[in-house]
Amino acid sequence: MCGICGCGEGHSHDHEHEHSHEHGPAHSHAPGLNPKRMVQIEQDILAKNNRYAATNRHYFEERGILALNLVSSPGSGKTTLLTETIARLKEEVAITVIEGDQQTARDAERIRATGVPALQINTGKGCHLDAHRVGHALESLQPKHQSVLFIENVGNLVCPSAFDLGEAHKVVILSVTEGEDKPLKYPDMFHAADLMILNKTDLLPYLDFDSEACIQFAKQVNPRIKVLSLSAKTGEGMEQWLRWLKAELELQRIAYA
Ligand SMILES: Nc1nc2c(ncn2[C@@H]2O[C@H](COP(=O)(O)OP(=O)(O)OP(=O)(O)O)[C@@H](O)[C@H]2O)c(=O)[nH]1
Ligand SMILES: [Mg+2]
């Protein structure tokens, strides 16, 4: 069981189509363990994860690969953003994708339909990807030098914030249907991210979502966060995101050269 969030990650599965056969509560908090012991377990888990993350980061830097960790609550539009991004970028840049979900390979199948290699990790009871599993996925995927690797994390605004995967940036996607107060309610995630994408802006005319307040809340939590607004569905605003991506890839390539 993951000592950070009690999510059962130690028993989860790394294989496509494999289903978890665990039973019992997904968030049992190890009754009987004293708080000091829990803190020690948390520190050990994060320290171990950080060692794997450092190895992944070294792997990316050695190859000039731009790795981005996409985090959000379920359904904010991560996979849609990826398929639309791939459609616009794949002729110029080599792309691979790691998909994290508790169950199913649906998202990896959506990515593969665009012609880009994707590997699905099913986390079972686990509510986030960790650096060790990402390292294994790299062995199978073998992303090209100077390419972009997107890692779509498990939909969850809490646990993925604590786990470094070795990425250059965490990118948090917030859809306008979720309410502008999310950066204040889930500050760890917005603090950990370098970029916030406000998605589904095509729906703004039908909602009372206050974009300015949302951006202000995000900056309150993380003054250095960059913000882009777009609609993955209509394509409005996609060009700023593509510009940001290409600029980041260039930086990674310069460091590699
Ligand atoms: N109106 C609108 N709908 C969108 C947009 N982007 C995604 N959607 C819809 O939102 C729903 C969820 O999209 P996904 O791309 O599956 O979201 P996700 O974040 O990958 O979901 P999980 O992987 O389950 O966490 C789908 O019905 C999409 O068609 C958008 O820009 N505008
Ligand atoms: Mg998805």
Side-chain angles (χ1 to χ4, degrees), residues 64-128:
I65 295 170
L66 174 66
L68 299 174
N69 181 359
L70 272 57
V71 291
S72 81
S73 50
S76 68
K78 298 180 293 299
T79 312
T80 308
L81 178 66
L82 285 182
T83 55
E84 292 303 315
T85 303
I86 290 165
R88 288 163 172 81
L89 210 59
K90 68 176 180 184
E91 302 303 332
E92 282 177 64
V93 180
I95 300 172
T96 45
V97 179
I98 297 172
E99 282 289 344
D101 280 297
Q102 287 197 318
Q103 298 287 354
T104 87
R106 293 170 70 95
D107 280 1
E109 284 159 12
R110 285 168 68 187
I111 300 294
R112 283 188 210 117
T114 68
V116 155
L119 190 129
Q120 182 80 47
I121 298 175
N122 284 147
T123 59
K125 296 281 188 206
C127 49
H128 58 86

Side-chain angles (χ1 to χ4, degrees), residues 59 62-65 94 142-148 253 256:
Y59 176 100
E62 268 192 334
R63 293 164 177 78
I65 295 170
Q142 300 276 326
K144 290 198 174 119
H145 286 49
Q146 307 197 28
S147 63
V148 176
R253 286 174 171 175
Y256 161 81

Side-chain angles (χ1 to χ4, degrees), residues 24-254:
H27 286 269
S28 56
H29 283 279
L33 273 183
N34 73 42
K36 260 194 190 165
R37 178 81 186 110
M38 281 304 288
V39 169
Q40 186 60 52
I41 291 172
E42 282 180 19
Q43 284 174 350
D44 290 351
I45 289 168
L46 286 179
K48 193 170 159 201
N49 183 74
N50 285 344
R51 285 196 292 277
Y52 285 116
T55 305
N56 293 348
R57 186 162 283 115
H58 183 66
Y59 176 100
F60 298 137
E61 285 170 0
E62 268 192 334
R63 293 164 177 78
I65 295 170
L66 174 66
L68 299 174
N69 181 359
L70 272 57
V71 291
S72 81
S73 50
S76 68
K78 298 180 293 299
T79 312
T80 308
L81 178 66
L82 285 182
T83 55
E84 292 303 315
T85 303
I86 290 165
R88 288 163 172 81
L89 210 59
K90 68 176 180 184
E91 302 303 332
E92 282 177 64
V93 180
I95 300 172
T96 45
V97 179
I98 297 172
E99 282 289 344
D101 280 297
Q102 287 197 318
Q103 298 287 354
T104 87
R106 293 170 70 95
D107 280 1
E109 284 159 12
R110 285 168 68 187
I111 300 294
R112 283 188 210 117
T114 68
V116 155
L119 190 129
Q120 182 80 47
I121 298 175
N122 284 147
T123 59
K125 296 281 188 206
C127 49
H128 58 86
L129 290 174
D130 64 49
H132 187 209
R133 275 181 225 163
V134 167
H136 276 308
L138 294 173
E139 286 168 17
S140 318
L141 268 178
Q142 300 276 326
K144 290 198 174 119
H145 286 49
Q146 307 197 28
S147 63
V148 176
L149 170 73
F150 292 110
I151 306 169
E152 180 180 337
N153 220 311
V154 180
N156 170 0
L157 269 183
V158 183
C159 308
S161 69
F163 286 81
D164 182 9
L165 305 179
E167 71 274 356
H169 304 287
K170 281 190 177 69
V171 177
V172 63
I173 293 117
L174 181 67
S175 58
V176 295
T177 52
E178 294 172 63
E180 61 274 336
D181 56 359
K182 294 303 166 289
L184 295 181
K185 289 183 170 177
Y186 303 93
D188 289 352
M189 188 61 90
F190 292 83
H191 184 73
D194 295 317
L195 174 67
M196 173 171 83
I197 293 183
L198 269 185
N199 188 31
K200 308 196 187 180
T201 54
D202 57 291
L203 298 177
L204 280 172
Y206 313 102
L207 303 166
D208 55 8
F209 183 87
D210 185 339
S211 301
E212 269 182 37
C214 182
I215 293 168
Q216 194 195 322
F217 292 151
K219 289 193 184 279
Q220 194 176 319
V221 168
N222 177 1
R224 63 181 166 74
I225 200 165
K226 289 199 173 78
V227 182
L228 298 174
S229 301
L230 58 82
S231 165
K233 185 174 178 166
T234 66
E236 195 183 359
M238 282 290 286
E239 67 293 337
Q240 323 159 56
W241 157 239
L242 295 178
R243 264 203 302 278
W244 182 88
L245 266 178
K246 285 180 195 170
E248 288 299 323
L249 181 60
E250 202 46 43
L251 285 177
Q252 197 76 12
R253 286 174 171 175
I254 290 167

Side-chain angles (χ1 to χ4, degrees), residues 3-28:
I4 306 298
C5 52
C7 66
E9 89 133 49
H11 303 285
S12 54
H13 303 279
D14 290 5
H15 309 294
E16 288 199 13
H17 303 297
E18 192 169 341
H19 294 266
S20 169
H21 296 289
E22 290 175 317
H23 299 283
H27 286 269
S28 56

